[in-house]
Structures are given as C-alpha cells and as structure tokens.
DNA sequence: GTGAAAGCGCTAACAC
DNA sequence: GTGTTAGCGCTTTCAC
C-alpha cells in the first residue's frame, strides 16, 4: 500500500506537506506542490479512509437509512436513492445504505461507530418512534418526510397538499366538473403517513373552493378486483358528465388507464386523469399521463444541502422545507 | 466519545482485554468478561470504525457498484440492492452504494482508499471495459452478470437461457402451440447484454425441440404505440390458434395484459402468458401472471456468499454460478 | 513555506 | 489468562 510517507519520501518533503498539499489548508510553494503532485500521480497514491477518519473525525460518508418493508411502495424510493448517491459523489462523499424495517439500531451503529458524518432518514411516518433517539445522536440527522413531532430535527418533504390542489385544479381548469380521487385500500395505513391524507385534503379542498363535486374512492381491498369494482362504477358516470380522476400512485394510474381502455373511453377526451408519479413513469404508460411529480431529485438535493449546511456548522432548528409540486400537462387532460 | 480505554479503566483491565472480549480472539475468564461487558453496556461503548479499520485492515464494509443509467430498467435493481444490504447486516457488514454510469473511478476509489473489504459489481455487460481494472484491484470483486471475458473474476448470474426454456415449456405443456416472445425495441442494446439474447435463444430452442411454432417480435420503437402495432396482429391470430406470449419485463407483461383486455381475450383461457418478473410483480398485475422469477434474492445471496468466501481466503478462480429460474403457475397459463 | 512529532482509537504481536 | 506496547496512516499542532 502506498502511504503519504512514501509520497513524501519520493517528493523529498515531509509527510505533513503531502497532507497540506491535498487539503489546501496552508499555502504551498508552486515548486513543492508540483513535486508532491508528481509523486502522488507516479505512485497512484490514495489516502487511507480509516486513517483520515481517525485523525480528522470526518469520514466523508453519509448514512442513508430507508425502511424497505413494503415491497410495493419500495420502487418509489429508487429515484431518491439514486439522486442522493450521485449528489454525494459530486460533493466528494460516499453513501452507506442501510435498510431497516424499524428500530434505531442502525442509527446508533452508524453514529456510535463514527461510520458516518451525518444521516438522512427516509420514510418518516407520523408517529415515528425513531426520531427521539435520532435527535440525540452525535451526528446531524435530516429527515425526508414529516412526523407529527420532528423532535427538533430538520426535515425536507414534498408538498403533498399542494400536489393535491394542483392536480384538482388542473382537472377543473380543463373543464372536468367532477373530481374522483382514488384513495387507498384499507390495508394501507393511511394514519401512519400524513402525506396521503394531506394529498387527499388538498384535492378535496381545491374542488370545494371552486364548488366542484369531489369524492375520494376507497377500494375495499388491495388489488385489481376491488379497484375494478369500486372504480368502474365511476367510469359509467363519466359517459354522461365530465369526470376527472386523480391517481396517487403509478400502479393506480396504470389501472385507471386500463379501465378506460376496456370501457373504450379515451383519456384526455372522455375522461380526465392526473397521476402523481415521476415524469419517467408518466412517459412509459400507454398514454403519456398528465402528472404531478413528487420531484425526488429536488427533495433529495434539498436534504443533502441541509446535511452539508449542518456539517458546516449550521444549527439544527427543526426547520421544514417543503418542495413544491410541478405539473406537466400531457395527453390525459 | 467513549473509547476502549474508558471501558478498560472502568472494568479495571487492560485496553487489549477489551479488544479481545469483543473479538473473541483469545479466551477470557468469565469474571473479566462479565466486568468488561458490564462496562461496555454502562458506557454504551461503540468501537470506532476508522480506528478498527486502520489497525486491522478490515472495514466491514462492502462496496456495491451499480450503473443507474437507464431509469426504466433501474427499478429491477431494487430487489438486489435490498437483498444485498439486508444480507450484509446479517453478516455484520455495511454497504456503500455507488452509482456510476461507466468507468472505474469509484472502483479505484473504494479499493484505493481502503473504504471497503470487497466489491460487488452489478450490471456487467458483454464487453465491460471495467473488468480489466476490477481484476487488478487490491480487494476481491464479484460480478453480478456475465461478460464475454470475466478477466478471472468470480461471477453470479441468473440463468436466463434456462428461464427462456422454462417459460416456453410451460406454454407448450399447457397446450399453446404457438409461442411469441416479445423482444426489445431497437433502442435497447441487445448486443451489450448477453442475457437478453440468452433468454430468447432458450425460448426459441425449447420450441424448436418440441417442433412448436415460435417467433420473436421486435417492436420498431420503444413505447406503447409500437408495441401495440406489433403485438395486436398476433392477438388476432390468437383467436384461431392457441398462442402463448412470453414477456421479458414487467412493463411488457402489463402491456400484453392490457392488450388482451382491450381485445376481450381472457389470459389463461384464450391466450397464454408467461412473464419474467418477480413474484411481487406477478401478484400486482390485474391478473396474477404465471412468472419465471429472476430470483434477485438468490442471486444476491450467492454473490455475497462468494464475497465472504473470498474474504475468508478462497482463491478467485473466475468461477461462474448460475442461479436456476423458478416458475410459478398462476392464472395466465 | 516547511518539518518534526504527537496523537486519533484500535488490533495484535510479545511478554509473563 | 492478562498486561504492555508498537504500530496502522493520517491530521494538526508547534516550532523554525
């Protein structure tokens, strides 16, 4: 293994000089810098991460804690993971990914062992028992998602209520007079996550403000059959009045499209549809769907930004940053 | 920060004794062990990862390198990532996740800085330029996926050819006399990944062996429209003969189902369909689809197993482990 | 502008 | 069965 000592010997300088050349923490004469950099290149020197962490109390690693319990919703996490890891690279950091269904064991491990400089905790729910411990860790923690009580931790979240409003208003603007929000089957614990309720509330209130008819549909069970039973009735109504659907998940969007195809109704003409899904999802449906994007990239960047502000000495103040939704009109409205 | 020195002082033993209690690398009298463990608990001692790595040349971290270029196929990676991270936890290791479109920069960083003990490289393609460098790293590397030349690296892959055979034989066994494999639009670089060709070859040869009619359909472009144009013609034929479809991706499965619904054909009765997708995917389609699972968990475990064999001193011998497919008959055959 | 040297917290010889 | 001690490779004072 090539060490900074080897580099120093090769360049004819002290070990500390090598260190200072790399960190830029003191001024170096052009000649010395050149010699050191040449030696680094010739020996293909890489600083040892463990030694650096030990000496500097900085690991250049961020912990990303996600709870991968529900396989279905899991797919939605990938854009976040992707955005966070690539942003970390840009900032010259690495990501340790931990998947934990519940509990704070990994939080305490990551922090206690000084494996990471900071932690991003995803999938926070309303009464998240992890937050109390998270707030006491030695490293800064940033949440993605909101709890009823964030315990003073900084959080970033997508503005689901605004998303609901935006989806509803798009439908109303496009002349649909009746709005149907596809809700969750009872299996999904709506109470656990505030954002589902927030989204529905936004949509309903927007309709209410504009005196439009609105309704949340709740299939009796998960799966296509219950969905079919609940929603196809609504499709019937769409033949006589201008109905617009709001679907909160890619799966639901796909199913609504499927139902319309079966009923020989053309989305965007006979029926309106706004989906909450990424732009990539929107474009891979059989019809490009007007969508409100949950903006995983923006949410992730905001969380990372806050992480680095905290690492730079900012005080955690329980601040909440909401990322506004963005609607892209495609073929279904 | 609580250090092993603090624990030693508290327990009235030497620092090294604390170390040996934790590692079990030498025998400790019950009394000392009890004292040390009590001190550890009282002080909530966590060993410092950097110091441990520095002293032991072991980080207890595995690097997972995935290339997240194509957003579409990306979703399929999640089950692998999930399986690998949770298996790592069981083995008391952590995962640093790196996403890199191409190039070996992160491989060299992870290894050069001694950030990781080993690397799992996913998404290997036929002429993967990374492998040559990967084979020269100081840490063991295990591939998920196969290249034409693995450069002596160990690899694990799903047996795509066997999957193709299995899918075709299921259809033939169930009385479908004509097999249609939905291929890739030209956009997908079939040449880059051997597994797509392997899958199709398996399906075609199985049909050929049993003298059944078989065909690979290649939509002229990506997206629903080209798919519709290409496949709906085949749906027509299904009204007069027993046609079975093989769809290689969840997206394609969904589209075939959609097409059948539009044409008022019932999958499993009028038309056969076997999808290559996870069991979870299968169950969330509108009809539970008979599927050949790519077995992400098994592939991941096999890769991790090999990693730990190598860490335990096994010699890398360019060995290739193929995970056999498994078919689950559901409602579409 | 540069060097020498003292740790960071752990592991693993080497003693006894 | 346990204590003593020499590093691991870096950062960062302190000294010049």
């Amino acid at each position: 293994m090539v060490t900074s000592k080897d580099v120093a010997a090769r360049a004819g300088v002290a070990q500390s000089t090598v260190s200072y050349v790399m960190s830029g923490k003191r001024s170096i004469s052009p000649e010395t810098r050149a010699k050191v950099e040449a030696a680094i290149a010739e020996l293909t020197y890489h600083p040892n991460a463990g030694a650096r962490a030990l000496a500097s109390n900085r690991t250049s690693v961020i912990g990303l804690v996600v709870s991968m319990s529900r396989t279905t919703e899991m797919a939605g996490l990938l854009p976040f993971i992707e955005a966070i890891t690539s942003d970390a690279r840009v900032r010259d950091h690495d990501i340790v990914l931990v998947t934990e269904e519940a509990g704070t064991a990994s939080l305490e491990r990551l922090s206690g062992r000084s494996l990471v400089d900071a932690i991003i905790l995803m999938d926070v729910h309303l009464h998240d028992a992890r937050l109390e411990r998270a707030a006491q860790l030695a490293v800064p923690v940033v949440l993605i998602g909101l709890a009823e009580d964030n315990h003073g931790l900084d959080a970033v979240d997508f503005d689901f209520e605004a998303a609901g409003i935006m989806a509803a208003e798009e439908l109303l603007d496009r002349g649909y007079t009746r709005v149907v929000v596809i809700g969750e089957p009872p299996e999904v614990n709506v109470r656990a996550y505030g954002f589902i309720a927030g989204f529905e509330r936004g949509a309903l209130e927007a309709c209410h403000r504009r005196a439009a008819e609105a309704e949340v549909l709740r299939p009796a069970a998960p799966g296509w059959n219950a969905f079919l039973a609940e929603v196809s009735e609504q499709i019937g109504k769409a033949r006589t009045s201008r109905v617009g659907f709001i679907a909160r998940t890619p799966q639901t969007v796909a199913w609504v499209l499927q139902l319309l195809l079966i009923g020989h109704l053309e989305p965007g003409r006979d029926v309106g549809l706004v989906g909450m899904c990424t732009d990539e999802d929107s474009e891979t449906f059989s019809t490009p769907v007007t969508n409100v994007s949950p903006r995983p990239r923006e949410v992730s960047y905001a969380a990372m930004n806050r992480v680095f502000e905290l690492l730079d000495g900012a005080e955690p103040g329980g601040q909440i940053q909401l990322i506004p939704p963005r609607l892209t009109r495609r073929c279904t409205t």
Side-chain angles (χ1 to χ4, degrees), chain A:
Chain A
M1 182 186 228
V2 181
T3 72
S4 63
K5 207 169 147 185
D6 302 328
V7 175
R10 179 90 142 124
V13 299
Q15 193 192 19
S16 57
T17 301
V18 176
S19 175
Y20 285 119
V21 165
M22 300 210 72
S23 69
K25 287 189 182 176
R26 79 180 182 192
S27 53
I28 304 281
S29 75
E31 306 87 64
T32 332
R33 153 158 286 123
K35 276 190 298 183
V36 171
E37 279 171 349
I40 288 176
E42 284 160 22
L43 303 176
T44 62
Y45 165 67
H46 293 272
N48 180 292
R52 178 172 275 186
L54 183 56
S56 67
N57 277 313
R58 278 286 209 127
T59 63
S60 294
V61 175
I62 311 290
L64 179 58
V65 179
V66 303
S67 64
M68 294 204 174
S69 38
R70 309 131 309 138
T71 324
T72 350
E73 295 254 337
M74 223 170 75
L77 293 178
L78 242 180
F80 291 91
I81 297 177
E82 202 280 323
I84 288 174
T85 50
S86 58
D87 190 39
R89 255 343 356 268
V90 170
R91 302 180 193 252
D92 213 49
H93 280 246
D94 278 295
I95 293 293
V96 169
L97 179 67
V98 173
T99 64
E100 187 175 46
E101 299 222 1
T104 57
S106 37
L107 290 176
E108 315 203 355
R109 189 169 40 82
L110 293 179
S111 163
R113 306 199 137 169
S114 300
L115 259 167
V116 301
D117 293 335
I119 292 177
I120 294 180
L121 185 54
M122 290 195 50
D123 232 354
V124 172
H125 57 261
L126 272 185
H127 303 285
D128 202 314
R130 300 172 298 178
L131 302 194
E132 192 179 344
R133 287 292 299 111
Q136 296 163 348
L137 296 179
V139 299
V141 175
V142 172
L143 312 178
I144 294 185
L146 297 178
E148 211 164 77
D149 177 4
N150 283 350
H151 289 266
L153 294 167
D154 294 316
V156 175
D157 202 6
F158 176 63
D159 192 339
F160 285 90
E161 184 158 357
I165 295 172
M166 193 171 261
E169 291 191 334
E170 164 73 1
L171 289 171
L172 300 180
D173 288 348
R174 304 297 278 177
Y176 299 96
T177 52
R178 179 179 155 69
V179 170
V180 175
V181 181
I182 318 280
E184 310 297 322
E187 183 196 55
V188 175
N189 194 349
V190 177
R191 299 231 154 261
Y193 294 91
F195 69 86
I196 299 180
F199 181 77
E200 293 177 357
R201 186 183 340 114
L204 291 181
E205 283 181 2
C207 294
H208 184 246
R209 271 199 296 280
R210 296 183 39 179
E213 208 181 333
E215 187 180 348
V216 177
L217 244 54
R218 304 199 181 283
W224 166 258
N225 289 327
F227 175 87
L228 182 65
E230 190 69 40
V231 180
S232 56
E233 183 189 339
Q234 296 292 329
I235 301 272
K237 295 187 189 165
R239 298 187 191 280
T240 55
S241 67
R242 305 264 304 152
V243 174
F245 288 90
I246 297 180
R248 209 190 48 77
T249 64
Q251 176 66 267
T252 324
V253 173
W255 283 353
V256 171
L257 284 175
Q258 198 156 310
L259 220 47
L260 296 180
L261 277 170
I262 297 171
H264 297 289
L265 288 169
E266 193 181 317
R269 198 191 56 191
D270 310 318
V271 176
L273 171 61
V274 176
M276 200 183 98
C277 58
T278 63
D279 299 335
E280 288 76 20
D281 284 334
S282 280
E283 294 288 355
T284 51
F285 293 122
S286 51
T287 306
V289 170
T290 295
N291 74 312
V292 176
S293 165
R295 307 190 77 188
R297 240 145 262 153
E298 288 74 10
V299 170
S300 303
Y301 290 160
M304 285 293 276
N305 255 328
R306 190 62 191 147
V307 161
F308 281 89
E309 282 173 16
L310 293 172
L311 289 178
D312 288 346
E315 282 303 311
Q319 89 177 33
I320 293 173
Q321 187 176 353
L322 287 182
I323 303 299
R326 193 174 51 191
L327 184 138
T328 305
R329 183 175 296 157
R330 303 179 208 266
C331 304
T332 61
T333 54

